[in-house]
Amino acid sequence: MSRATVNFAHSRLAAAGGIAILLLVLASLFAPLLTPHDPDRQHLDGGIYLPPSVDHPLGTDKFGRDIFSRILYGGRVSLAIGFFAAAMSVTLGTLAGATAGYFRGVGEGVIMRVVDVLLAFPRLILLLALVALFHPSLVLLVVVLGLTGWMGTARIVRGEVLSLREREFILAGRALGFRAPRILFRHILPNVLGPVIVAATLSIGNTILIEASLSFLGLGVQPPMASWGSMINDGKEALTHAWWIATFPGLAVLVTVSCFNLVGDGMRDAFDPRFEP
Amino acid sequence: MPPLLDIEDLEVSFDVRGETIHAVDTVSLTVGEGEVVGLVGESGCGKSVTTLSVLRLLPRRTGRITGGAIRFGDDGIDLLALPEKEMNRIRGAKISMVFQEPMTALNPVLTCASQLDEVYRLHRGWKGATARAASIDLLAEVGIADPVATRRSYPHQLSGGMRQRVLLAMALACRPRLLIADEPTTALDATIQARILSLLSDVQRRHRMALLLISHDLGVVGALADRVAVMYAGEIVEEGPVSDVLVTPRHPYTRALLRALPVPGAGGGGMEPIEGNVPDGKAAGAMCRFAPRCTVARSECFRGHPVLLGRPGGGLCRCIPGVMNGDRR
Ligand SMILES: Nc1ncnc2c1ncn2[C@@H]1O[C@H](COP(=O)(O)OP(=O)(O)OP(=O)(O)O)[C@@H](O)[C@H]1O
Ligand code: SF4
Ligand SMILES: [Mg+2]
């Protein structure tokens, strides 16, 4: 583990990404301290379509709302959806993959066929279909994103568990009378933690991107609540004369997703078994 | 009184890609209370499969026990008929096992402390300070100089010999009546090997614990065991008191094994490798399984499968009587 930490620290890019994520999270949490404007407060009389200025560093939109404030507050929504949906999909994926890999048999066949089938659909199409069936809400978004994102983790975890279950310490544990659930949860899963954390990190970034796509299509976060995706949607008609409305939330998505990917890749290198002692 | 462990006519086969491999064929073996029994034979002859069967730890998907009984304890319950839940009360508590590879037999992400305490929690219900104190005593008993520091260590921080001691401690935690040691020192270097073996012998005597010791090193078995069983191609070919089997072996295979031993002081001399490979016994059909490699084979050796018969000096031998009584080494 200590070697892994060292490798991770050496990857400066990953470290920079981690710091950027931390700043983003802090900024959106402490948004009221960073901006004097209410993100939903409209200024229809002369405050609309204002370009970036000292008072509105990123300009205002067609209702005269401050873009900077909306990015900070919208960040809460985007980050929270990304975090909770990723947590759900990684938990589901870990349980499914571990069950398939450890108990094998019919269950494994069923789980892995479901994975194959779900992976054969483009995720966005699947999401659109699911979201269209119900009344859009934050909880629905998280659940739907979680339900469509677990397959990659399941594959990774199953692979890891398949090789771990053949290791001698598992046989030794069975010889000591440990029952299957104990072996799986206490002896196998902690050994899979590295790949799972990597998958979770990459999954947060990916989920934020997909949430932005859904909200851009109007099927995600519903007004007046803002997420980065719905802000891009708001700004798309005004792109020619008020470029700042869509561009800055777009940049926020780009930077955030890149940072999560950098951290995820950095951790993947750090947990690489070739570097393990 | 019945023997502590009584393996009777055990048959184990593996199904690998549609083919059936008969790994163990009608093996009978007993281990008495407090007795040390050695199980020897070349690689692949079925030693590990036999002992894994005792704890029912064969690979679930491929390995199958197709016949026999394994009786254990004073009331001679058949382990093969026991529900899995009951079996888990025996594993690690009444019968323990140590394995060949100390480097991989400990969980790399858990400290020795949590792995040791887990055994106590499971079988004794001890927690916290009780488990801690017991495991410190235990580590001291297996010759670990600084038990407190060792408890805190992760496996990769310990040497092979230390890890084998920790594993032995875990196996001994609940004072099992039978310890199965499957090549416990093969992976260690020679000096450590000797220390672990004398430790094993010590704890065995101190606790009057029965020991089933697997090894392909006849020297090790000669030093520790009361009785020895020699396996070849899935069956027992000779069995009896160590002092007799290793001094005046009756079976040509046992003799060949002894000739393959390095002679002390001869600088690696004396070793005569046995020509040929171990076959799948049952596939050989009605003939002596060792016949293709046996230097004293006769034509009748290829015509019938010899049975185990009483040997002079006690024990059993599976060789056509005329042959084994003639031809001395
Ligand atoms: N998991 C398995 N799948 C298929 N066949 C197996 C398996 N394990 C053992 N066997 C078969 O059983 C035979 C006996 O194997 P076993 O491991 O008992 O040998 P051994 O006497 O312990 O040898 P070694 O000294 O190498 O440990 C092997 O020749 C092999 O054909
Ligand atoms: S029966 Fe024949 S072939 Fe088999 S061990 Fe005896 S002498 Fe050799
Ligand atoms: Mg073996």
mmCIF file of all heavy atoms in Angstrom, chain A residues 102 104-105 165 167-169 171-172 174-179 182 186-188 190-191 277, chain B residues 57 60-61 88 91-92 99 101 104-110 114 118-119 121-123 170:
data_model
loop_
_atom_site.group_PDB
_atom_site.id
_atom_site.type_symbol
_atom_site.label_atom_id
_atom_site.label_comp_id
_atom_site.label_asym_id
_atom_site.label_seq_id
_atom_site.Cartn_x
_atom_site.Cartn_y
_atom_site.Cartn_z
ATOM 1 N N TYR A 102 -17.236 -15.706 -7.323
ATOM 2 C CA TYR A 102 -16.950 -16.615 -6.210
ATOM 3 C C TYR A 102 -17.844 -17.849 -6.242
ATOM 4 O O TYR A 102 -17.380 -18.963 -6.065
ATOM 5 C CB TYR A 102 -17.087 -15.908 -4.863
ATOM 6 C CG TYR A 102 -16.570 -16.773 -3.738
ATOM 7 C CD1 TYR A 102 -15.211 -17.060 -3.639
ATOM 8 C CD2 TYR A 102 -17.428 -17.349 -2.808
ATOM 9 C CE1 TYR A 102 -14.720 -17.882 -2.645
ATOM 10 C CE2 TYR A 102 -16.940 -18.170 -1.801
ATOM 11 C CZ TYR A 102 -15.585 -18.423 -1.723
ATOM 12 O OH TYR A 102 -15.096 -19.247 -0.746
ATOM 13 N N ARG A 104 -19.725 -18.869 -8.826
ATOM 14 C CA ARG A 104 -19.780 -19.488 -10.155
ATOM 15 C C ARG A 104 -21.175 -20.049 -10.440
ATOM 16 O O ARG A 104 -22.157 -19.487 -10.028
ATOM 17 C CB ARG A 104 -18.719 -20.604 -10.271
ATOM 18 C CG ARG A 104 -17.354 -20.247 -9.720
ATOM 19 C CD ARG A 104 -16.486 -19.386 -10.622
ATOM 20 N NE ARG A 104 -16.612 -19.592 -12.036
ATOM 21 C CZ ARG A 104 -15.743 -20.252 -12.792
ATOM 22 N NH1 ARG A 104 -14.712 -20.841 -12.237
ATOM 23 N NH2 ARG A 104 -15.906 -20.320 -14.074
ATOM 24 N N GLY A 105 -21.205 -21.174 -11.180
ATOM 25 C CA GLY A 105 -22.478 -21.852 -11.395
ATOM 26 C C GLY A 105 -23.482 -21.059 -12.232
ATOM 27 O O GLY A 105 -23.115 -20.174 -13.009
ATOM 28 N N ARG A 165 -9.862 -16.396 -5.851
ATOM 29 C CA ARG A 165 -10.441 -17.564 -5.196
ATOM 30 C C ARG A 165 -9.541 -18.794 -5.325
ATOM 31 O O ARG A 165 -9.677 -19.750 -4.583
ATOM 32 C CB ARG A 165 -11.845 -17.850 -5.715
ATOM 33 C CG ARG A 165 -11.888 -18.427 -7.116
ATOM 34 C CD ARG A 165 -13.270 -18.307 -7.720
ATOM 35 N NE ARG A 165 -14.245 -19.162 -7.072
ATOM 36 C CZ ARG A 165 -14.361 -20.468 -7.265
ATOM 37 N NH1 ARG A 165 -13.532 -21.081 -8.076
ATOM 38 N NH2 ARG A 165 -15.291 -21.153 -6.665
ATOM 39 N N ARG A 167 -6.328 -18.582 -4.952
ATOM 40 C CA ARG A 167 -5.115 -18.362 -4.175
ATOM 41 C C ARG A 167 -5.118 -19.228 -2.926
ATOM 42 O O ARG A 167 -6.158 -19.624 -2.414
ATOM 43 C CB ARG A 167 -5.016 -16.873 -3.779
ATOM 44 C CG ARG A 167 -4.912 -15.937 -4.969
ATOM 45 C CD ARG A 167 -3.494 -15.629 -5.324
ATOM 46 N NE ARG A 167 -2.824 -14.898 -4.271
ATOM 47 C CZ ARG A 167 -2.831 -13.574 -4.157
ATOM 48 N NH1 ARG A 167 -3.482 -12.842 -5.020
ATOM 49 N NH2 ARG A 167 -2.181 -12.990 -3.160
ATOM 50 N N GLU A 168 -3.898 -19.527 -2.447
ATOM 51 C CA GLU A 168 -3.799 -20.483 -1.352
ATOM 52 C C GLU A 168 -4.424 -19.951 -0.057
ATOM 53 O O GLU A 168 -4.938 -20.731 0.743
ATOM 54 C CB GLU A 168 -2.340 -20.874 -1.127
ATOM 55 C CG GLU A 168 -2.226 -22.179 -0.356
ATOM 56 C CD GLU A 168 -0.912 -22.887 -0.576
ATOM 57 O OE1 GLU A 168 0.117 -22.201 -0.670
ATOM 58 O OE2 GLU A 168 -0.916 -24.121 -0.635
ATOM 59 N N PHE A 169 -4.406 -18.625 0.153
ATOM 60 C CA PHE A 169 -4.948 -18.143 1.429
ATOM 61 C C PHE A 169 -6.456 -18.350 1.521
ATOM 62 O O PHE A 169 -7.009 -18.401 2.619
ATOM 63 C CB PHE A 169 -4.539 -16.691 1.718
ATOM 64 C CG PHE A 169 -5.152 -15.642 0.835
ATOM 65 C CD1 PHE A 169 -6.379 -15.085 1.173
ATOM 66 C CD2 PHE A 169 -4.510 -15.195 -0.289
ATOM 67 C CE1 PHE A 169 -6.947 -14.100 0.386
ATOM 68 C CE2 PHE A 169 -5.072 -14.219 -1.089
ATOM 69 C CZ PHE A 169 -6.287 -13.671 -0.752
ATOM 70 N N LEU A 171 -7.934 -21.138 0.295
ATOM 71 C CA LEU A 171 -7.995 -22.540 0.714
ATOM 72 C C LEU A 171 -7.656 -22.648 2.196
ATOM 73 O O LEU A 171 -8.326 -23.361 2.957
ATOM 74 C CB LEU A 171 -7.009 -23.365 -0.127
ATOM 75 C CG LEU A 171 -7.036 -24.875 0.096
ATOM 76 C CD1 LEU A 171 -8.382 -25.437 -0.332
ATOM 77 C CD2 LEU A 171 -5.907 -25.550 -0.664
ATOM 78 N N ALA A 172 -6.636 -21.888 2.621
ATOM 79 C CA ALA A 172 -6.241 -21.916 4.027
ATOM 80 C C ALA A 172 -7.391 -21.432 4.909
ATOM 81 O O ALA A 172 -7.644 -21.993 5.974
ATOM 82 C CB ALA A 172 -4.991 -21.058 4.242
ATOM 83 N N ARG A 174 -10.618 -21.599 4.204
ATOM 84 C CA ARG A 174 -11.651 -22.644 4.245
ATOM 85 C C ARG A 174 -11.219 -23.757 5.185
ATOM 86 O O ARG A 174 -12.044 -24.334 5.898
ATOM 87 C CB ARG A 174 -11.904 -23.186 2.840
ATOM 88 C CG ARG A 174 -12.608 -22.183 1.928
ATOM 89 C CD ARG A 174 -12.710 -22.695 0.510
ATOM 90 N NE ARG A 174 -13.436 -23.960 0.442
ATOM 91 C CZ ARG A 174 -13.261 -24.866 -0.517
ATOM 92 N NH1 ARG A 174 -12.381 -24.658 -1.461
ATOM 93 N NH2 ARG A 174 -13.955 -25.973 -0.513
ATOM 94 N N ALA A 175 -9.912 -24.058 5.186
ATOM 95 C CA ALA A 175 -9.417 -25.121 6.067
ATOM 96 C C ALA A 175 -9.556 -24.729 7.536
ATOM 97 O O ALA A 175 -9.552 -25.582 8.417
ATOM 98 C CB ALA A 175 -7.962 -25.432 5.742
ATOM 99 N N LEU A 176 -9.674 -23.420 7.811
ATOM 100 C CA LEU A 176 -9.857 -22.970 9.192
ATOM 101 C C LEU A 176 -11.336 -22.894 9.560
ATOM 102 O O LEU A 176 -11.683 -22.502 10.670
ATOM 103 C CB LEU A 176 -9.203 -21.607 9.397
ATOM 104 C CG LEU A 176 -7.672 -21.629 9.482
ATOM 105 C CD1 LEU A 176 -7.102 -20.229 9.377
ATOM 106 C CD2 LEU A 176 -7.220 -22.290 10.769
ATOM 107 N N GLY A 177 -12.197 -23.231 8.631
ATOM 108 C CA GLY A 177 -13.623 -23.281 8.936
ATOM 109 C C GLY A 177 -14.372 -21.997 8.615
ATOM 110 O O GLY A 177 -15.508 -21.820 9.049
ATOM 111 N N PHE A 178 -13.762 -21.078 7.857
ATOM 112 C CA PHE A 178 -14.471 -19.853 7.492
ATOM 113 C C PHE A 178 -15.522 -20.184 6.448
ATOM 114 O O PHE A 178 -15.256 -20.882 5.483
ATOM 115 C CB PHE A 178 -13.504 -18.807 6.920
ATOM 116 C CG PHE A 178 -12.422 -18.409 7.872
ATOM 117 C CD1 PHE A 178 -11.262 -17.798 7.409
ATOM 118 C CD2 PHE A 178 -12.541 -18.640 9.235
ATOM 119 C CE1 PHE A 178 -10.255 -17.427 8.281
ATOM 120 C CE2 PHE A 178 -11.542 -18.272 10.107
ATOM 121 C CZ PHE A 178 -10.391 -17.665 9.627
ATOM 122 N N ARG A 179 -16.731 -19.626 6.635
ATOM 123 C CA ARG A 179 -17.791 -19.911 5.688
ATOM 124 C C ARG A 179 -17.716 -18.961 4.498
ATOM 125 O O ARG A 179 -17.069 -17.927 4.546
ATOM 126 C CB ARG A 179 -19.151 -19.838 6.381
ATOM 127 C CG ARG A 179 -19.404 -21.126 7.175
ATOM 128 C CD ARG A 179 -20.774 -21.155 7.784
ATOM 129 N NE ARG A 179 -20.850 -20.237 8.912
ATOM 130 C CZ ARG A 179 -21.848 -19.398 9.103
ATOM 131 N NH1 ARG A 179 -22.833 -19.330 8.247
ATOM 132 N NH2 ARG A 179 -21.847 -18.613 10.153
ATOM 133 N N ARG A 182 -18.015 -15.085 4.713
ATOM 134 C CA ARG A 182 -16.862 -14.498 5.384
ATOM 135 C C ARG A 182 -15.651 -14.473 4.451
ATOM 136 O O ARG A 182 -14.937 -13.476 4.358
ATOM 137 C CB ARG A 182 -16.521 -15.294 6.637
ATOM 138 C CG ARG A 182 -15.278 -14.799 7.354
ATOM 139 C CD ARG A 182 -14.945 -15.693 8.528
ATOM 140 N NE ARG A 182 -15.895 -15.533 9.600
ATOM 141 C CZ ARG A 182 -15.738 -14.665 10.600
ATOM 142 N NH1 ARG A 182 -14.669 -13.895 10.639
ATOM 143 N NH2 ARG A 182 -16.632 -14.576 11.542
ATOM 144 N N ARG A 186 -14.666 -10.766 3.724
ATOM 145 C CA ARG A 186 -13.560 -10.348 4.564
ATOM 146 C C ARG A 186 -12.202 -10.668 3.941
ATOM 147 O O ARG A 186 -11.214 -10.001 4.201
ATOM 148 C CB ARG A 186 -13.679 -11.019 5.931
ATOM 149 C CG ARG A 186 -12.735 -10.431 6.932
ATOM 150 C CD ARG A 186 -13.066 -10.897 8.321
ATOM 151 N NE ARG A 186 -11.859 -10.913 9.119
ATOM 152 C CZ ARG A 186 -11.274 -9.845 9.598
ATOM 153 N NH1 ARG A 186 -11.795 -8.665 9.379
ATOM 154 N NH2 ARG A 186 -10.158 -9.929 10.299
ATOM 155 N N HIS A 187 -12.160 -11.721 3.130
ATOM 156 C CA HIS A 187 -10.850 -12.128 2.623
ATOM 157 C C HIS A 187 -10.647 -11.831 1.144
ATOM 158 O O HIS A 187 -9.537 -11.588 0.722
ATOM 159 C CB HIS A 187 -10.612 -13.611 2.911
ATOM 160 C CG HIS A 187 -10.453 -13.884 4.364
ATOM 161 N ND1 HIS A 187 -9.221 -13.910 4.976
ATOM 162 C CD2 HIS A 187 -11.362 -14.078 5.341
ATOM 163 C CE1 HIS A 187 -9.391 -14.140 6.273
ATOM 164 N NE2 HIS A 187 -10.678 -14.239 6.521
ATOM 165 N N ILE A 188 -11.713 -11.849 0.380
ATOM 166 C CA ILE A 188 -11.519 -11.590 -1.049
ATOM 167 C C ILE A 188 -11.732 -10.115 -1.380
ATOM 168 O O ILE A 188 -10.875 -9.469 -1.974
ATOM 169 C CB ILE A 188 -12.445 -12.488 -1.897
ATOM 170 C CG1 ILE A 188 -11.967 -13.938 -1.779
ATOM 171 C CG2 ILE A 188 -12.439 -12.042 -3.353
ATOM 172 C CD1 ILE A 188 -12.661 -14.915 -2.676
ATOM 173 N N PRO A 190 -11.554 -7.190 0.217
ATOM 174 C CA PRO A 190 -10.516 -6.197 0.515
ATOM 175 C C PRO A 190 -9.346 -6.254 -0.473
ATOM 176 O O PRO A 190 -8.688 -5.252 -0.721
ATOM 177 C CB PRO A 190 -10.038 -6.585 1.920
ATOM 178 C CG PRO A 190 -11.193 -7.281 2.523
ATOM 179 C CD PRO A 190 -11.854 -8.020 1.402
ATOM 180 N N ASN A 191 -9.130 -7.416 -1.063
ATOM 181 C CA ASN A 191 -8.077 -7.536 -2.061
ATOM 182 C C ASN A 191 -8.471 -6.934 -3.403
ATOM 183 O O ASN A 191 -7.648 -6.813 -4.295
ATOM 184 C CB ASN A 191 -7.705 -9.014 -2.257
ATOM 185 C CG ASN A 191 -6.771 -9.510 -1.172
ATOM 186 O OD1 ASN A 191 -5.589 -9.206 -1.192
ATOM 187 N ND2 ASN A 191 -7.310 -10.239 -0.215
ATOM 188 N N PRO A 277 4.852 -4.825 -3.814
ATOM 189 C CA PRO A 277 6.030 -5.521 -3.279
ATOM 190 C C PRO A 277 5.825 -7.031 -3.298
ATOM 191 O O PRO A 277 4.707 -7.501 -3.311
ATOM 192 C CB PRO A 277 6.127 -5.012 -1.850
ATOM 193 C CG PRO A 277 4.789 -4.500 -1.506
ATOM 194 C CD PRO A 277 4.152 -4.048 -2.783
ATOM 195 N N LEU B 57 -12.109 -30.232 0.983
ATOM 196 C CA LEU B 57 -11.701 -28.964 0.390
ATOM 197 C C LEU B 57 -11.318 -29.116 -1.076
ATOM 198 O O LEU B 57 -10.615 -28.278 -1.627
ATOM 199 C CB LEU B 57 -10.517 -28.375 1.169
ATOM 200 C CG LEU B 57 -10.806 -27.944 2.597
ATOM 201 C CD1 LEU B 57 -9.529 -27.510 3.293
ATOM 202 C CD2 LEU B 57 -11.818 -26.809 2.618
ATOM 203 N N ARG B 60 -14.568 -27.446 -5.875
ATOM 204 C CA ARG B 60 -15.962 -27.854 -5.873
ATOM 205 C C ARG B 60 -16.502 -28.261 -7.240
ATOM 206 O O ARG B 60 -17.375 -29.098 -7.348
ATOM 207 C CB ARG B 60 -16.829 -26.723 -5.311
ATOM 208 C CG ARG B 60 -16.963 -26.805 -3.813
ATOM 209 C CD ARG B 60 -17.513 -25.511 -3.256
ATOM 210 N NE ARG B 60 -16.487 -24.474 -3.241
ATOM 211 C CZ ARG B 60 -16.569 -23.367 -2.513
ATOM 212 N NH1 ARG B 60 -17.621 -23.143 -1.768
ATOM 213 N NH2 ARG B 60 -15.601 -22.487 -2.531
ATOM 214 N N ARG B 61 -15.969 -27.612 -8.272
ATOM 215 C CA ARG B 61 -16.573 -27.865 -9.579
ATOM 216 C C ARG B 61 -16.015 -29.097 -10.274
ATOM 217 O O ARG B 61 -16.691 -29.725 -11.065
ATOM 218 C CB ARG B 61 -16.401 -26.648 -10.476
ATOM 219 C CG ARG B 61 -17.364 -25.536 -10.122
ATOM 220 C CD ARG B 61 -16.798 -24.201 -10.514
ATOM 221 N NE ARG B 61 -16.628 -24.056 -11.948
ATOM 222 C CZ ARG B 61 -17.609 -23.730 -12.785
ATOM 223 N NH1 ARG B 61 -18.811 -23.522 -12.329
ATOM 224 N NH2 ARG B 61 -17.384 -23.605 -14.079
ATOM 225 N N ASN B 88 -17.719 -27.193 9.081
ATOM 226 C CA ASN B 88 -16.994 -25.970 9.419
ATOM 227 C C ASN B 88 -16.659 -25.877 10.902
ATOM 228 O O ASN B 88 -15.808 -25.105 11.303
ATOM 229 C CB ASN B 88 -17.801 -24.739 8.988
ATOM 230 C CG ASN B 88 -17.497 -24.360 7.553
ATOM 231 O OD1 ASN B 88 -16.376 -24.566 7.087
ATOM 232 N ND2 ASN B 88 -18.472 -23.839 6.849
ATOM 233 N N ARG B 91 -13.303 -28.086 10.834
ATOM 234 C CA ARG B 91 -12.171 -27.447 10.180
ATOM 235 C C ARG B 91 -11.571 -26.364 11.074
ATOM 236 O O ARG B 91 -12.270 -25.467 11.524
ATOM 237 C CB ARG B 91 -12.607 -26.769 8.876
ATOM 238 C CG ARG B 91 -13.119 -27.710 7.825
ATOM 239 C CD ARG B 91 -13.500 -26.916 6.576
ATOM 240 N NE ARG B 91 -14.027 -27.796 5.547
ATOM 241 C CZ ARG B 91 -15.169 -27.559 4.901
ATOM 242 N NH1 ARG B 91 -15.872 -26.487 5.151
ATOM 243 N NH2 ARG B 91 -15.571 -28.403 3.978
ATOM 244 N N GLY B 92 -10.277 -26.447 11.304
ATOM 245 C CA GLY B 92 -9.598 -25.408 12.084
ATOM 246 C C GLY B 92 -9.782 -25.576 13.570
ATOM 247 O O GLY B 92 -9.092 -24.932 14.358
ATOM 248 N N PHE B 99 -0.167 -25.571 4.910
ATOM 249 C CA PHE B 99 0.086 -25.809 3.495
ATOM 250 C C PHE B 99 1.543 -25.565 3.143
ATOM 251 O O PHE B 99 2.338 -25.078 3.944
ATOM 252 C CB PHE B 99 -0.820 -24.923 2.649
ATOM 253 C CG PHE B 99 -2.270 -25.250 2.814
ATOM 254 C CD1 PHE B 99 -3.036 -24.617 3.792
ATOM 255 C CD2 PHE B 99 -2.869 -26.206 2.025
ATOM 256 C CE1 PHE B 99 -4.373 -24.926 3.954
ATOM 257 C CE2 PHE B 99 -4.200 -26.524 2.187
ATOM 258 C CZ PHE B 99 -4.956 -25.882 3.148
ATOM 259 N N GLU B 101 2.878 -23.454 0.846
ATOM 260 C CA GLU B 101 3.379 -22.141 0.458
ATOM 261 C C GLU B 101 3.097 -21.082 1.510
ATOM 262 O O GLU B 101 2.068 -20.426 1.457
ATOM 263 C CB GLU B 101 2.725 -21.715 -0.870
ATOM 264 C CG GLU B 101 3.342 -22.334 -2.098
ATOM 265 C CD GLU B 101 4.767 -21.856 -2.331
ATOM 266 O OE1 GLU B 101 5.129 -20.757 -1.841
ATOM 267 O OE2 GLU B 101 5.519 -22.600 -2.981
ATOM 268 N N THR B 104 2.018 -17.498 0.293
ATOM 269 C CA THR B 104 0.714 -17.146 -0.267
ATOM 270 C C THR B 104 -0.455 -17.620 0.590
ATOM 271 O O THR B 104 -1.595 -17.373 0.255
ATOM 272 C CB THR B 104 0.553 -17.761 -1.675
ATOM 273 O OG1 THR B 104 0.792 -19.166 -1.580
ATOM 274 C CG2 THR B 104 1.522 -17.152 -2.644
ATOM 275 N N ALA B 105 -0.165 -18.309 1.711
ATOM 276 C CA ALA B 105 -1.264 -18.870 2.490
ATOM 277 C C ALA B 105 -1.826 -17.890 3.514
ATOM 278 O O ALA B 105 -2.772 -18.201 4.221
ATOM 279 C CB ALA B 105 -0.835 -20.166 3.171
ATOM 280 N N LEU B 106 -1.220 -16.694 3.623
ATOM 281 C CA LEU B 106 -1.792 -15.645 4.478
ATOM 282 C C LEU B 106 -2.402 -14.570 3.592
ATOM 283 O O LEU B 106 -1.902 -14.287 2.502
ATOM 284 C CB LEU B 106 -0.696 -15.024 5.354
ATOM 285 C CG LEU B 106 -0.198 -15.867 6.522
ATOM 286 C CD1 LEU B 106 1.108 -15.293 7.067
ATOM 287 C CD2 LEU B 106 -1.241 -15.923 7.617
ATOM 288 N N ASN B 107 -3.490 -13.978 4.080
ATOM 289 C CA ASN B 107 -4.139 -12.922 3.317
ATOM 290 C C ASN B 107 -3.264 -11.668 3.297
ATOM 291 O O ASN B 107 -2.957 -11.117 4.352
ATOM 292 C CB ASN B 107 -5.495 -12.608 3.941
ATOM 293 C CG ASN B 107 -6.344 -11.727 3.047
ATOM 294 O OD1 ASN B 107 -5.832 -10.980 2.220
ATOM 295 N ND2 ASN B 107 -7.648 -11.836 3.198
ATOM 296 N N PRO B 108 -2.856 -11.216 2.089
ATOM 297 C CA PRO B 108 -1.896 -10.110 2.012
ATOM 298 C C PRO B 108 -2.406 -8.778 2.555
ATOM 299 O O PRO B 108 -1.611 -7.934 2.935
ATOM 300 C CB PRO B 108 -1.592 -9.998 0.513
ATOM 301 C CG PRO B 108 -2.721 -10.680 -0.170
ATOM 302 C CD PRO B 108 -3.196 -11.750 0.763
ATOM 303 N N VAL B 109 -3.715 -8.574 2.608
ATOM 304 C CA VAL B 109 -4.203 -7.260 3.029
ATOM 305 C C VAL B 109 -4.659 -7.210 4.488
ATOM 306 O O VAL B 109 -5.136 -6.181 4.945
ATOM 307 C CB VAL B 109 -5.344 -6.736 2.121
ATOM 308 C CG1 VAL B 109 -4.875 -6.648 0.687
ATOM 309 C CG2 VAL B 109 -6.574 -7.598 2.242
ATOM 310 N N LEU B 110 -4.518 -8.314 5.224
ATOM 311 C CA LEU B 110 -4.893 -8.295 6.636
ATOM 312 C C LEU B 110 -3.650 -8.517 7.498
ATOM 313 O O LEU B 110 -2.758 -9.270 7.118
ATOM 314 C CB LEU B 110 -5.919 -9.398 6.940
ATOM 315 C CG LEU B 110 -7.256 -9.323 6.198
ATOM 316 C CD1 LEU B 110 -8.121 -10.508 6.569
ATOM 317 C CD2 LEU B 110 -7.974 -8.028 6.510
ATOM 318 N N SER B 114 -5.274 -9.713 12.873
ATOM 319 C CA SER B 114 -6.690 -9.901 12.556
ATOM 320 C C SER B 114 -6.932 -11.314 12.041
ATOM 321 O O SER B 114 -8.012 -11.870 12.241
ATOM 322 C CB SER B 114 -7.186 -8.827 11.588
ATOM 323 O OG SER B 114 -6.492 -8.894 10.387
ATOM 324 N N GLU B 118 -9.308 -13.860 14.239
ATOM 325 C CA GLU B 118 -10.488 -14.342 13.540
ATOM 326 C C GLU B 118 -10.757 -15.820 13.855
ATOM 327 O O GLU B 118 -11.904 -16.245 13.983
ATOM 328 C CB GLU B 118 -10.270 -14.150 12.041
ATOM 329 C CG GLU B 118 -11.530 -14.318 11.232
ATOM 330 C CD GLU B 118 -11.310 -13.964 9.774
ATOM 331 O OE1 GLU B 118 -10.172 -13.609 9.390
ATOM 332 O OE2 GLU B 118 -12.271 -14.063 9.010
ATOM 333 N N VAL B 119 -9.671 -16.593 13.975
ATOM 334 C CA VAL B 119 -9.834 -18.021 14.273
ATOM 335 C C VAL B 119 -10.458 -18.197 15.651
ATOM 336 O O VAL B 119 -11.376 -18.997 15.846
ATOM 337 C CB VAL B 119 -8.476 -18.746 14.210
ATOM 338 C CG1 VAL B 119 -8.670 -20.238 14.452
ATOM 339 C CG2 VAL B 119 -7.797 -18.500 12.884
ATOM 340 N N ARG B 121 -12.255 -15.932 17.298
ATOM 341 C CA ARG B 121 -13.622 -15.407 17.313
ATOM 342 C C ARG B 121 -14.581 -16.448 16.752
ATOM 343 O O ARG B 121 -15.648 -16.699 17.301
ATOM 344 C CB ARG B 121 -13.690 -14.110 16.491
ATOM 345 C CG ARG B 121 -15.028 -13.455 16.546
ATOM 346 C CD ARG B 121 -14.962 -11.955 16.189
ATOM 347 N NE ARG B 121 -13.648 -11.497 15.797
ATOM 348 C CZ ARG B 121 -13.308 -11.216 14.536
ATOM 349 N NH1 ARG B 121 -14.181 -11.368 13.569
ATOM 350 N NH2 ARG B 121 -12.108 -10.771 14.259
ATOM 351 N N LEU B 122 -14.149 -17.084 15.652
ATOM 352 C CA LEU B 122 -15.026 -18.034 14.982
ATOM 353 C C LEU B 122 -15.288 -19.280 15.823
ATOM 354 O O LEU B 122 -16.431 -19.696 16.009
ATOM 355 C CB LEU B 122 -14.393 -18.431 13.643
ATOM 356 C CG LEU B 122 -15.241 -19.358 12.783
ATOM 357 C CD1 LEU B 122 -16.460 -18.615 12.280
ATOM 358 C CD2 LEU B 122 -14.424 -19.868 11.613
ATOM 359 N N HIS B 123 -14.205 -19.883 16.322
ATOM 360 C CA HIS B 123 -14.389 -21.183 16.969
ATOM 361 C C HIS B 123 -14.603 -21.099 18.475
ATOM 362 O O HIS B 123 -15.173 -21.983 19.084
ATOM 363 C CB HIS B 123 -13.185 -22.091 16.688
ATOM 364 C CG HIS B 123 -13.123 -22.545 15.261
ATOM 365 N ND1 HIS B 123 -14.083 -23.336 14.694
ATOM 366 C CD2 HIS B 123 -12.221 -22.302 14.287
ATOM 367 C CE1 HIS B 123 -13.770 -23.579 13.427
ATOM 368 N NE2 HIS B 123 -12.650 -22.958 13.152
ATOM 369 N N MET B 170 -1.985 -20.322 13.663
ATOM 370 C CA MET B 170 -3.415 -20.291 13.344
ATOM 371 C C MET B 170 -4.000 -21.700 13.351
ATOM 372 O O MET B 170 -5.117 -21.927 13.821
ATOM 373 C CB MET B 170 -3.648 -19.629 11.984
ATOM 374 C CG MET B 170 -3.449 -18.126 12.025
ATOM 375 S SD MET B 170 -3.304 -17.392 10.401
ATOM 376 C CE MET B 170 -4.960 -17.599 9.793
#
